[in-house]
Amino acid sequence: MPKRYFFDLVCGQRGAPDGDGILLSDPGAALKYGTRLLAEHLVANAEERGQQLTMNVRDASGDMLFRLSMEMHVEMAAAGGTVTDYKMSALTRTV
């Protein structure tokens, strides 16, 4: 039976709580969904690079199940050059 999971996004000092949630089959599906959602946000908001993005995943009772964190670092060469360094790391912590 599907359960409702909530995905609260935190970027620096700003937070965006998820008031709606989404029905998913189990915590594993919530982990996959949250990871994809956080990665999509990171790509869509490239101007936030260098900041850590965190997503707290909660169940319907409000208990936090786990936290996802991603950070992207990009160092560019001079104009017309190529990207000299690209690093994206992901960390999942169960709380």
Side-chain angles (χ1 to χ4, degrees):
M1 178 177 202
K3 295 182 180 179
R4 190 165 297 275
Y5 295 90
F6 297 84
F7 302 85
D8 304 327
L9 183 65
V10 179
C11 178
Q13 299 298 324
R14 298 174 295 149
D18 178 1
D20 299 325
I22 187 169
L23 291 173
L24 297 167
S25 60
D26 57 46
L31 177 61
K32 287 180 184 178
Y33 180 83
T35 301
R36 188 183 80 227
L37 191 62
L38 191 57
E40 288 173 357
H41 181 82
L42 189 67
V43 169
N45 297 282
E47 69 277 1
E48 295 175 358
R49 66 180 176 260
Q51 291 191 40
Q52 186 175 46
L53 297 177
T54 301
M55 182 170 288
N56 299 320
V57 181
R58 301 178 284 117
D59 62 15
S61 66
D63 293 331
M64 187 164 44
L65 302 174
F66 49 87
R67 176 176 293 134
L68 300 165
S69 297
M70 290 186 183
E71 187 172 4
M72 181 172 65
H73 299 276
V74 177
E75 293 181 17
M76 302 294 287
T82 59
V83 174
T84 57
D85 182 34
Y86 171 81
K87 173 185 172 189
M88 181 173 160
S89 57
L91 171 66
T92 304
R93 287 177 274 168
T94 304
V95 290

